[in-house]
Amino acid sequence: MLRVVVMVSGGGTNLQAILDAIDSGKITNASVEAVISNNSGAYALERARKHQIPAVCISPKSYPDRAAFHQALLETVREYRPDLIVLAGFLVTIPAEMIKEYRNRIINIHPSLIPSFCGVGYYGLKVHEAALKRGVKITGATVHYVDEGVDSGPILLQKAVEVKEGDTPEILQRRVMEEAEWQILPEAINRIANSK
């Protein structure tokens, strides 16, 4: 059984897609052991509680400096002995020590087709604003392993999504979530859990 820790900063729609996929059998041989957020107001924590999954907030604001926060984050993750860490909209840079300890066991979902619209500063709506400003006809989402760079680790899965006439960043964001993110993130976890 693959022990999964999901880290999220906001609403947790990707977390919900994971939980739904486990419940429906689309993900097998995996269980979410904990949900960790840097934001005490993240609805993702409520989603975890509804599934009787430990919901933990580790906020940088609670620590004197970044080093202390990183240490607390790493110690909390270790408590749940994860085989896989899933970054599902986690807007905090992962400390190098954690990347080293969990090498090739941390994955991230990014709302574009990497290498487009990724790297420092590209997250959330900013990605979709950039795609629309550039005038691309196809966007999508990418699941990749996390390394020391930003959105630079090896790609596991990608799924393309059409950009339509009249799209706003919000409309495009929703389509990318529904047609790509919520499909490929559970698929990636299932593949890892079943050594595919």
Side-chain angles (χ1 to χ4, degrees):
M1 187 69 77
L2 188 80
R3 297 174 60 86
V4 179
V5 167
V6 181
M7 299 172 69
V8 59
S9 294
T13 56
N14 277 304
L15 167 65
Q16 191 64 54
I18 294 165
L19 297 174
D20 290 348
I22 290 171
D23 290 347
S24 71
K26 285 183 180 170
I27 295 175
T28 59
N29 299 322
S31 65
V32 177
E33 298 298 317
V35 173
I36 298 173
S37 182
N38 60 306
N39 172 9
S40 61
Y43 187 66
L45 295 172
E46 185 58 30
R47 291 181 196 269
R49 288 185 199 104
K50 285 180 181 174
H51 263 75
Q52 287 79 50
I53 295 167
V56 185
C57 177
I58 307 286
S59 171
K61 297 172 187 166
S62 304
Y63 298 91
D65 55 36
R66 217 51 172 180
F69 164 68
H70 285 161
Q71 189 59 39
L73 186 63
L74 185 55
E75 286 171 8
T76 302
V77 167
R78 282 177 181 150
E79 283 176 35
Y80 294 99
R81 303 183 330 277
D83 301 308
L84 182 69
I85 299 167
V86 177
L87 308 183
F90 191 61
L91 302 180
V92 174
T93 302
I94 300 301
E97 188 180 349
M98 186 181 294
I99 293 169
K100 185 177 176 187
E101 187 167 325
Y102 294 97
R103 174 82 56 203
N104 297 323
R105 292 191 291 154
I106 306 173
I107 63 172
N108 180 51
I109 181 84
H110 183 76
S112 78
L113 295 173
I114 291 174
S116 298
F117 313 114
C118 66
V120 177
Y122 284 102
Y123 60 89
L125 271 181
K126 295 177 189 299
V127 175
H128 306 292
E129 288 166 354
L132 290 172
K133 185 176 179 184
R134 185 71 180 95
V136 297
K137 304 303 179 209
I138 300 287
T139 186
T142 303
V143 177
H144 65 92
Y145 284 105
V146 174
D147 64 9
E148 285 77 5
V150 179
D151 301 326
S152 59
I155 291 171
L156 276 90
L157 290 172
Q158 290 186 307
K159 189 164 192 291
V161 173
E162 183 184 359
V163 179
K164 296 183 178 175
E165 190 74 34
D167 273 351
T168 64
E170 293 79 7
I171 289 170
L172 185 57
Q173 179 182 50
R174 184 75 191 182
R175 187 179 313 115
V176 168
M177 286 191 295
E178 290 174 351
E179 294 182 12
E181 293 180 45
W182 299 347
Q183 309 298 318
I184 64 174
L185 186 56
E187 184 182 339
I189 295 167
N190 188 58
R191 285 185 182 189
I192 293 166
N194 292 286
S195 303
K196 290 183 180 174

